[in-house]
Amino acid sequence: MACAAWLLAAAGTATAQPTTVKYMMWDSIQLPAYRQCAADFERANPDLRIKISQAGWGDYWTALSIGFIADSAPDVFVNHPGKYPEYARNGLLVDLAPYIRRDGLDLAQYTPGLLPVWQRDGRQYGLPKDWDTVGLVVNLAQARQAGVTLAELQQMRWNPQDGGSFERVIRRLTVDAQGRRADEPGFDARRVAVHGFQIGSAGGMTGQVEWSHFAVSNGFRYQPAPWARQFLYDDPRLAETLDWLAGLSARGLSAPFQNAKSLGGGAMFIAGKAAMVPEGSWMVSYFANQAKFEYTWVPLPIGPTGRRASMLNGLADSIWAGSRHKEAAWRWVKYLASRECQQVVAGHGVVFPAILGLAEQAQAVQRRRGADTGALLQMAREHTYATPMADDAAQIEELMKGAIESVLAGREKAGPALKAANTQVNRLLQRGAPAAAPAR
């Protein structure tokens, strides 16, 4: 009897062991916030344990792919709008809609525009965790030396014909090796010490940081509608935007594209080689930690439409369809998307949480650390647009990256290059098969 009692007690102990939910993310700066969320969650849910792993951006997606193939992927992972369509089409993501309906989750708590990106055909593939916009980072010391005021920086206007007041500011910020500015006689465009404006890459199919805000404020749109089997990259308004950007390096106002591509716009800014760069809000901590000079964020310029424009993008947490602990994974995802966890994230001031009102809390933390990010919140109140949604995004990315690089490097004019690339993109989409229903 004693032996039997011992066996029963042992069995009870074994069944009482917490279930482990594996969670993977790529941003190491956010790790402390999510470790705190995990600790809080485990205290409230003693039957669950959260095991967090982290890998850098490139390694992250490779590790996920290997995990899907090897049947060892994390139960829950941070997902990106540019990646999830392929995963959903291949049945790798759990549809969260039934869980949301069952538990009566309040979807109105999220910043407008974030949730629909993760929906398709009535299915929900992720719950919003944060959002981002794009602004301009400006070296204030260099601006003062050029006689450019903060008020001017905050009210710049742009057009693709002569660049507007935005290009006039760029000219004043650009200095050659002899100390002459681009708006002064004798400026040497071949020997530039500080470029007034710099992008660091072609931006691929979205151009989120590099060109989309210019193009959209010029009237461009990517697609007739999300998931449409047609893109509009052959729009003349995009062509003239990219031709204008390409012309900056020819005039010495930006570095040659190949040089900038290898260095990166952000690194050139930190090194004092670029006075103004467009960057996403996810870079707030980078500049706060790296810049050894006074700088600020200012809003993007007003375009020919009379509006500023910025992509409003957002990440989400998704559940792997192969998870053996889907119910436990859902409890963790629901907590990640809750005010409790996102308030912890706001307190770390690294990103803007998805729940309404918490971005302002994150901004207050950033301000205390010396980063004035009000311009990024302003851009969220301007004309915003979602990332384009399409199947075969990886192939579209490569096609558009190649075409736009050829324009920015001066090898082709934008009109013909974009028309040829757009034809290939639309041909690819029109022969694509409808998305498969995901596993639940």
Side-chain angles (χ1 to χ4, degrees):
M1 290 294 294
C3 182
W6 180 86
L7 288 172
L8 286 171
T13 301
T15 57
Q17 290 301 310
T19 297
T20 297
V21 175
K22 295 187 293 181
Y23 180 54
M24 192 170 187
M25 57 191 298
W26 67 76
D27 189 353
S28 61
I29 299 177
Q30 293 188 62
L31 262 178
Y34 284 102
R35 283 176 175 152
Q36 182 61 56
C37 282
D40 295 343
F41 177 78
E42 288 174 351
R43 276 195 295 272
N45 298 271
D47 59 322
L48 298 180
R49 288 290 177 269
I50 305 301
K51 181 179 180 181
I52 301 177
S53 60
Q54 180 267 331
W57 175 264
D59 293 337
Y60 180 84
W61 301 107
T62 300
L64 272 183
S65 296
I66 292 171
F68 293 147
I69 295 168
D71 199 32
S72 61
D75 301 287
V76 179
F77 62 96
V78 181
N79 212 341
H80 190 280
K83 301 288 187 178
Y84 98 80
E86 180 183 355
Y87 297 156
R89 184 171 63 174
N90 290 323
L92 294 170
L93 304 180
V94 170
D95 175 17
L96 304 182
Y99 295 94
I100 292 169
R101 288 192 297 269
R102 183 194 71 189
D103 292 359
L105 199 65
D106 177 15
L107 301 181
Q109 66 184 318
Y110 302 114
T111 297
L114 297 182
L115 201 68
V117 171
W118 298 90
Q119 297 169 345
R120 190 176 188 185
D121 299 329
R123 302 181 181 95
Q124 186 75 43
Y125 293 112
L127 283 181
K129 63 193 294 91
D130 55 38
W131 59 261
D132 55 69
T133 54
V134 176
L136 293 168
V137 195
V138 184
N139 184 316
L140 283 177
Q142 292 174 340
R144 291 193 192 101
Q145 291 168 6
V148 176
T149 67
L150 182 58
E152 286 180 276
L153 291 167
Q154 293 171 334
Q155 296 299 323
M156 294 182 291
R157 303 183 76 95
W158 171 83
N159 69 69
Q161 285 73 46
D162 62 13
S165 61
F166 180 59
E167 184 168 326
R168 291 195 292 275
V169 166
I170 293 173
R171 289 178 178 276
R172 290 160 65 187
L173 293 173
T174 302
V175 187
D176 71 11
Q178 299 301 314
R180 294 168 298 209
R181 299 189 179 277
D183 61 349
E184 295 177 339
F187 171 74
D188 187 352
R190 297 167 300 177
R191 299 176 64 227
V192 178
V194 178
H195 296 283
F197 177 74
Q198 193 63 59
I199 62 172
S201 73
M205 70 177 283
T206 69
Q208 178 180 7
V209 168
E210 300 80 7
W211 51 261
S212 70
H213 40 89
F214 292 120
V216 172
S217 72
N218 193 32
F220 167 74
R221 57 179 181 150
Y222 297 94
Q223 305 166 281
W227 302 106
R229 294 190 178 278
Q230 178 190 9
F231 271 81
L232 306 172
Y233 291 120
D234 56 353
D235 187 330
R237 291 168 292 192
L238 175 58
E240 62 184 5
T241 298
L242 291 175
D243 279 336
W244 173 78
L245 277 171
L248 293 179
S249 61
R251 301 192 295 278
L253 306 179
S254 290
F257 177 71
Q258 291 304 324
N259 294 353
K261 180 184 173 184
S262 62
L263 295 171
M268 290 180 65
F269 180 81
I270 294 299
K273 300 299 182 182
M276 179 167 55
V277 295
E279 280 294 356
S281 56
W282 58 89
M283 293 288 283
V284 165
S285 293
Y286 170 78
F287 290 112
N289 294 332
Q290 298 297 322
K292 307 305 179 186
F293 48 82
E294 191 178 359
Y295 72 94
T296 194
W297 291 85
V298 299
L300 295 163
I302 299 167
T305 61
R307 299 186 295 182
R308 309 178 197 272
S310 173
M311 185 177 290
L312 182 70
N313 196 31
L315 305 179
D317 290 301
S318 296
I319 299 176
W320 173 42
S323 169
R324 294 165 181 80
H325 310 292
K326 291 186 180 67
E327 191 64 42
W330 163 246
R331 287 165 60 188
W332 172 234
V333 166
K334 187 167 65 168
Y335 185 74
L336 289 167
S338 72
R339 179 169 290 274
E340 288 80 6
C341 177
Q342 294 199 12
Q343 194 130 26
V344 169
V345 174
H348 284 252
V350 177
V351 294
F352 299 128
I355 290 178
L356 289 165
L358 295 185
E360 289 77 9
Q361 293 185 24
Q363 180 198 10
V365 174
Q366 294 162 355
R367 187 184 298 115
R368 290 197 295 271
R369 294 173 180 166
D372 183 359
T373 57
L376 293 168
L377 270 70
Q378 177 184 340
M379 290 310 306
R381 296 188 295 269
E382 301 280 351
H383 173 56
T384 60
Y385 50 94
T387 187
M389 302 306 300
D391 294 314
D392 303 305
Q395 292 162 278
I396 297 171
E397 173 75 13
E398 289 305 309
L399 286 169
M400 295 313 303
K401 178 182 175 184
I404 295 171
E405 281 192 354
S406 72
V407 174
L408 296 178
R411 295 191 297 269
E412 290 185 82
K413 295 295 288 183
L418 292 175
K419 184 176 181 180
N422 195 62
T423 298
Q424 290 180 280
V425 167
N426 289 340
R427 189 178 295 139
L428 174 69
L429 289 172
Q430 288 157 15
R431 71 166 181 255
R440 297 197 180 196

